[in-house]
Amino acid sequence: MMAKVVALLGPTGVGKTELAIHLGRTLGGEIVSVDSRLLYRGMDIGTAKPTATQRAAVPHHLIDVADPDEVWSLGRFRQAVLEIVDGISRSGSLPILAGGTGQYMTAVLDGWAPPPKPADDEIRRRWEGFAAENGAAALHRRLAEVDPEAAGRIDYRNVRRVVRALEVVEWSGGPRRDQPIQVPAPFEAVRVGLRLPRSELYARLDARLDRMLADGFVDEVRRLLARGYGRDLPSMSAIGYRQLAAYLEDEMAFEQAVARIRQATRRFVRHQSNWFRSDDPRIRWFEPRPGYEAEVVAYVTSALGAS
């Protein structure tokens, strides 16, 4: 029989971590983080990483497996999740996928496989050299000339992604090859979504940021910078790290950095809603109100039995 998993979806700060732990303890599950930032050691406060106590309550996977300067591609991440899910299923436990990175979750659940990588890095090095000599904006204009659609969805400041898009266009002979390949996922997924009214979620996120700052978020970023992890690293694009790095490097006031973190968090919430649309018939949505966990457990138990 095909393996079965539970996937917890929804915006950041809505309560997926707490629900995942409750399901894991109630249903005999293990949690697989599908969050591209929880991979990194030393990035704990700003990523809202599960605490040591939470991780001791239920087995967790794909947390603290890389240093901040190690790059994990979408393909590598997806393969790691599939292997972990297979191992959990074979052990007789229930895999519970939880995380806020919509692209990664979609890749896992819907069977996205990224396009193959060119055989050598010559093209990449050439475009990186062009960016170093001419700037990120000029590099992005080149992409707009050959693949306007990719240029429209990639921020010009994300040089790594712009280079990758140019690399694939040049290597494959056209932009249409730079599309994920869809392959069937090797499991059946029960999708559970959490949502709250936007204003309520924003208030929760504001309060969470205040707690992060009180818990030492600034010092966490200071330690990362002191260890040589620059804010240009992909890992440091996690919300809050680059803004606080700019503050620590005297490029903006603390209040301005905090305001930008709040703005970026709101944009991220809106972006997540585009990935996990409320009208997706595969997702059963719940609001995390007092006592709702029992309703989720009942639904998941029934869905797993019927699938």
Side-chain angles (χ1 to χ4, degrees):
M1 294 178 61
M2 185 173 288
K4 300 173 184 178
V5 307
V6 175
L8 303 184
L9 317 172
T12 185
V14 77
K16 297 185 298 294
T17 296
E18 293 78 7
L19 178 59
I21 292 170
H22 181 82
L23 292 177
R25 298 182 69 174
T26 305
L27 301 176
E30 299 186 23
I31 298 170
V32 184
S33 168
V34 189
D35 191 305
S36 61
R37 295 300 180 254
L38 300 193
L39 293 168
Y40 298 109
R41 291 181 282 267
M43 301 180 69
D44 303 329
I45 299 172
T47 62
K49 190 174 291 180
T51 65
T53 300
Q54 289 174 318
R55 290 161 65 179
V58 177
H60 283 66
H61 302 269
L62 279 182
I63 295 177
D64 289 343
V65 296
D67 290 324
D69 57 354
E70 184 178 348
V71 177
W72 276 54
S73 68
L74 176 59
R76 179 182 180 183
F77 192 99
R78 176 179 175 273
Q79 185 60 36
V81 171
L82 295 181
E83 292 174 0
I84 292 168
V85 165
D86 182 65
I88 295 172
S89 297
R90 290 179 183 275
S91 74
S93 295
L94 174 67
I96 301 171
L97 312 183
T101 307
Q103 183 183 22
Y104 281 48
M105 184 68 86
T106 301
V108 171
L109 295 181
D110 292 340
W112 283 10
K117 182 176 174 58
D120 62 62
D121 295 326
E122 178 183 351
I123 299 172
R124 176 180 54 80
R125 289 194 298 268
R126 176 155 37 83
W127 283 119
E128 288 176 343
F130 179 90
E133 182 176 350
N134 299 282
L139 180 76
H140 194 264
R141 286 195 293 272
R142 285 296 185 92
L143 177 61
E145 293 172 1
V146 296
D147 190 349
E149 182 179 347
R153 66 175 183 266
I154 299 175
D155 191 306
Y156 81 93
R157 293 167 294 187
N158 194 333
V159 172
R160 183 177 62 88
R161 286 193 63 198
V162 176
V163 166
R164 172 59 176 158
L166 283 163
E167 179 186 359
V168 175
V169 168
E170 185 171 343
W171 169 72
S172 64
R176 288 184 297 177
R177 290 287 296 276
D178 188 21
Q179 297 293 328
I181 303 166
Q182 193 164 15
V183 295
F187 51 72
E188 298 177 9
V190 176
R191 292 167 166 84
V192 173
L194 296 184
R195 61 185 175 188
L196 284 169
R198 190 67 57 84
S199 60
E200 186 176 344
L201 181 59
Y202 284 168
R204 289 178 59 151
L205 291 169
D206 285 343
R208 186 177 75 166
L209 176 57
D210 291 340
R211 290 194 301 271
M212 288 177 173
L213 294 169
D215 290 342
F217 192 5
V218 175
D219 287 336
E220 179 170 277
V221 177
R222 183 182 287 113
R223 287 192 296 270
L224 290 167
L225 295 174
R227 292 170 60 191
Y229 297 123
R231 55 179 164 163
D232 59 329
L233 290 173
S235 61
M236 295 287 275
S237 66
I239 294 173
Y241 287 87
R242 286 179 177 168
Q243 293 88 344
L244 290 179
Y247 156 66
L248 290 170
E249 294 173 352
D250 297 321
E251 294 181 13
M252 67 176 68
F254 176 73
E255 293 76 12
Q256 183 181 8
V258 172
R260 291 192 177 184
I261 294 171
R262 297 194 197 281
Q263 293 168 359
T265 302
R266 285 161 169 71
R267 285 197 301 270
F268 185 50
V269 166
R270 293 192 294 270
H271 178 71
Q272 287 175 311
S273 68
N274 292 329
W275 281 100
F276 306 124
R277 298 186 63 85
S278 61
D279 58 355
D280 187 335
R282 299 173 300 177
I283 303 174
R284 171 69 181 273
W285 292 96
F286 297 86
E287 287 196 357
R289 306 298 183 187
Y292 86 105
E293 295 91 347
E295 185 180 356
V296 175
V297 169
Y299 168 72
V300 169
T301 302
S302 174
L304 288 172
S307 59

